[in-house]
Amino acid sequence: MRCSEVTEKLEQFSPLSFAEEWDNAGLLCGRLDKEIKKVYIAVDATDGVIAEAVRLQADLLLTHHPLIFKPLKRITTEDFIGRRIYTLIRNGICYYAMHTNFDVMGMADAAADEIGLRNRQVLDITYEDEIAKEGVGRIGKLPRIMTLEECAEYVKKAFDLEMVQVFGEKEQTIEKAAISPGSGSSVFAAAIKSGADVLITGDIDHHMGLDGMAQGLSLIDAGHFGLEKIFVSILSEFFRREMPEIQIYEAKEESPFHIV
């Protein structure tokens, strides 16, 4: 299957039209006529991920976060991004990123599924046409009413996490939850406006946590990587279902930091 055919299927699943204007999703490196037999799927295009893609002789590297985000004036091995791009090109590996388009069409509902969110709606609308309103995050009711502490344990188990950071009173009653993988700052106001009891997201800083509690919103920081790592399993299943002739490899990534 050619790269152009693979990207067509990926864009049927998560259309590029759903990506934010500031984003850089799509085919970022490689040839559309390249024959794709092996795909390596990861959250980030790190040095380790690219080295493993090379070792496995992958034809396509597929990640959630784009390696190329800001405009580049030169590509040399003196710069870590340039070095990674050079390695991909040198080894004939095409590179595709599914970022905010996948946040809207893929990640949001998948994360909501993980915690069994019922009667869900879009948390923050980022795309609207005459047919539908779509966007990042979801809001709905948890499978049962629970305390904030119980909810934190529930999220840990659902996403197989070592720990989560919690802002709020442990015994607070939680029923209506908002979830948005990635950085929570962009959906913070929407979560408050929606009347959520808790926002489950990543990258919550000190001030956001305090500001949320002051406005009646508890927050569970499950980590940027912690929530978005489901990208790998979702896309692996998509390839197995839609393109079974392609061999799939999943990156064995871990959180970029550790707890001491």
Side-chain angles (χ1 to χ4, degrees):
M1 181 175 284
R2 291 190 177 187
C3 182
S4 59
E5 296 172 296
V6 174
T7 59
E8 182 179 358
K9 284 186 175 291
L10 290 174
E11 288 163 20
Q12 287 172 354
F13 179 36
S14 292
L16 293 177
S17 58
F18 288 108
E20 298 277 8
E21 289 185 3
W22 48 262
D23 198 13
N24 192 30
L27 185 67
L28 306 186
C29 175
R31 301 177 1 243
L32 285 170
D33 63 346
K34 167 83 175 181
E35 192 68 22
I36 306 297
K37 296 180 180 180
K38 298 179 181 179
V39 175
Y40 193 60
I41 306 174
V43 177
D44 293 286
T46 62
D47 287 329
V49 162
I50 291 174
E52 186 66 3
V54 171
R55 187 187 74 80
L56 293 168
Q57 297 182 318
D59 302 300
L60 173 68
L61 172 61
L62 173 63
T63 69
H64 179 47
H65 297 133
L67 171 60
I68 305 171
F69 202 75
K70 297 179 180 179
L72 299 174
K73 292 186 177 181
R74 59 183 62 85
I75 297 175
T76 73
T77 57
E78 302 303 310
D79 170 79
F80 77 95
I81 294 178
R83 182 174 65 248
R84 293 173 184 175
I85 297 169
Y86 176 81
T87 301
L88 289 169
I89 294 173
R90 184 182 180 188
N91 288 277
I93 300 175
C94 295
Y95 172 54
Y96 193 96
M98 299 174 71
H99 194 209
T100 53
N101 56 316
F102 183 75
D103 287 338
V104 173
M105 298 300 288
M107 187 80 79
D109 279 315
D113 287 342
E114 292 293 326
I115 60 171
L117 212 57
R118 299 179 292 113
N119 304 323
R120 71 185 67 160
Q121 296 179 323
V122 175
L123 176 60
D124 186 24
I125 296 171
T126 58
Y127 179 92
E128 184 174 355
D129 59 21
E130 63 278 3
I131 299 174
K133 295 180 180 179
E134 296 291 349
V136 296
R138 295 293 184 264
I139 183 165
K141 289 187 176 182
L142 292 167
R144 62 178 177 84
I145 297 174
M146 57 186 77
T147 66
L148 178 59
E149 187 169 21
E150 289 173 333
C151 185
E153 291 292 340
Y154 180 64
V155 170
K156 278 176 60 178
K157 183 177 180 180
F159 288 92
D160 190 23
L161 303 172
E162 180 182 352
M163 54 82 71
V164 294
Q165 187 175 11
V166 183
F167 291 87
E169 298 295 329
K170 292 182 179 181
E171 298 305 315
Q172 178 192 349
T173 299
I174 301 294
E175 181 178 18
K176 192 175 183 181
I179 187 165
S180 185
S183 179
S185 59
S186 65
V187 297
F188 179 70
I192 292 175
K193 184 178 180 181
S194 70
D197 298 315
V198 65
L199 170 61
I200 303 160
T201 187
D203 296 345
I204 298 171
D205 64 24
H206 174 79
H207 300 290
M208 191 191 307
L210 292 180
D211 291 349
M213 289 190 295
Q215 299 174 80
L217 177 69
S218 294
L219 298 104
I220 297 176
D221 187 338
H224 197 123
F225 175 80
L227 295 180
E228 291 193 333
K229 64 183 180 180
I230 59 175
F231 171 83
V232 176
S233 59
I234 296 169
L235 266 298
S236 292
E237 176 58 31
F238 176 77
F239 270 91
R240 292 188 183 101
R241 184 177 67 251
E242 300 292 333
M243 295 169 273
E245 67 274 28
I246 295 178
Q247 190 168 357
I248 303 302
Y249 296 97
E250 297 183 7
K252 306 302 180 184
E253 296 173 282
E254 297 180 351
S255 175
F257 64 88
H258 62 276
I259 307 298
V260 177

